[in-house]
Amino acid sequence: MTQTPDLTRRLAAEFVGTALLLAVVVGSGIMGERLADGNDAIALLGNTIATGAILVVLILVFGPVSGAHFNPAVTLSFALQRAISRLDALAFVAVQVAGAMAGVWLAHLMFSEPIIMVGTSARTGLGQWVAEAVATFGLVATIMACVRTRPQVVPYAVGLFITAGYWFTSSTSFANPAVTFGRSFTDTFSGIQPIDMPAFIAAQVAGAIIATAFCVWLFGRLESNRDK
């Protein structure tokens, strides 16, 4: 039986994975905007492809260590099902947020942008809040369903869902409180102004809770390592 990695290794995986995710989200947004010559659709397409692709890679790499949450909404879902302890969940969220900031700063550094920024892009309104709840519901439901039925496809299912979410939601599918926090500190293509961040996060948490309740009803509760 494979031994579960210790908490230090799991936290390191969550920090590095989340940092790399944000570096790609922000970096590909900067690159896309620079190359698109004012065409936002082309910039968004570049941003989308890079984000969906890196999610597949990061989950394949770090999934065996930490489960590759990279997202407080996903960690919340696992905690609600008692598949991760509350203390471990809090530690996961802390390093996810720290990793998100590190990834944003890394993207700024790579593209010779000011490292410290504050977002100025307005993203607010009922439509975008509903979009974030729907996007997070879909993401968490995708993970919960695939973990139970076909765990080997989780990386691809998550990458594909986020790729679709960029285009079918009015908010471009943040679906992740750590990503939302990080993106509020970049004044680039993927940014969001900090004043709009709390409503996005509230919608994401609501979507995660609803998805968890639905999947527990549909499939049953996940087993934790302690149950095995």
Side-chain angles (χ1 to χ4, degrees):
M1 183 170 131
T2 304
Q3 185 175 7
T4 301
D6 61 38
L7 182 59
T8 300
R9 288 180 173 82
R10 287 186 286 148
L11 293 179
E14 286 296 303
F15 176 86
V16 174
T18 309
L20 290 173
L21 173 60
L22 267 293
V24 171
V25 169
V26 175
S28 64
I30 296 170
M31 178 67 83
E33 189 172 43
R34 289 183 181 180
L35 296 178
D37 195 25
N39 188 326
D40 286 344
I42 298 299
L44 182 61
L45 181 61
N47 198 200
T48 302
I49 294 170
T51 302
I54 199 61
L55 276 168
V56 174
V57 174
L58 292 175
I59 296 170
L60 287 170
V61 171
F62 295 112
V65 180
S66 69
H69 296 189
F70 313 140
N71 185 337
V74 174
T75 301
L76 171 63
S77 179
F78 277 86
L80 289 173
Q81 296 172 84
R82 300 180 184 176
I84 183 174
S85 73
R86 292 181 181 178
L87 286 177
D88 285 3
L90 288 173
F92 266 45
V93 171
V95 298
Q96 288 159 1
V97 172
M101 285 304 309
V104 170
W105 292 337
L106 179 60
H108 292 168
L109 183 62
M110 287 192 293
F111 285 92
S112 300
E113 297 282 350
I115 293 177
I116 306 298
M117 295 187 193
V118 175
T120 59
S121 297
R123 300 177 189 263
T124 188
L126 180 61
Q128 296 207 41
W129 302 333
V130 171
E132 280 304 297
V134 169
T136 311
F137 175 94
L139 174 62
V140 172
T142 296
I143 294 168
M144 295 298 100
C146 290
V147 162
R148 289 165 169 83
T149 60
R150 298 184 66 189
Q152 70 276 12
V153 307
V154 170
Y156 313 103
V158 169
L160 288 170
F161 180 84
I162 291 299
T163 298
Y166 263 72
W167 289 87
F168 84 81
T169 63
S170 59
S171 61
T172 66
S173 186
F174 286 41
N176 183 330
V179 167
T180 305
F181 181 81
R183 288 172 67 165
S184 70
F185 291 96
T186 184
D187 194 20
T188 61
F189 182 77
S190 59
I192 177 175
Q193 59 184 3
I195 196 172
D196 296 335
M197 174 178 56
F200 263 51
I201 291 176
Q204 291 156 1
V205 169
I209 291 171
I210 295 168
T212 302
F214 176 71
C215 287
V216 167
W217 173 77
L218 197 63
F219 298 106
R221 184 174 68 87
L222 279 176
E223 289 186 341
S224 71
N225 291 327
R226 295 186 298 275
D227 295 331
K228 296 179 181 178

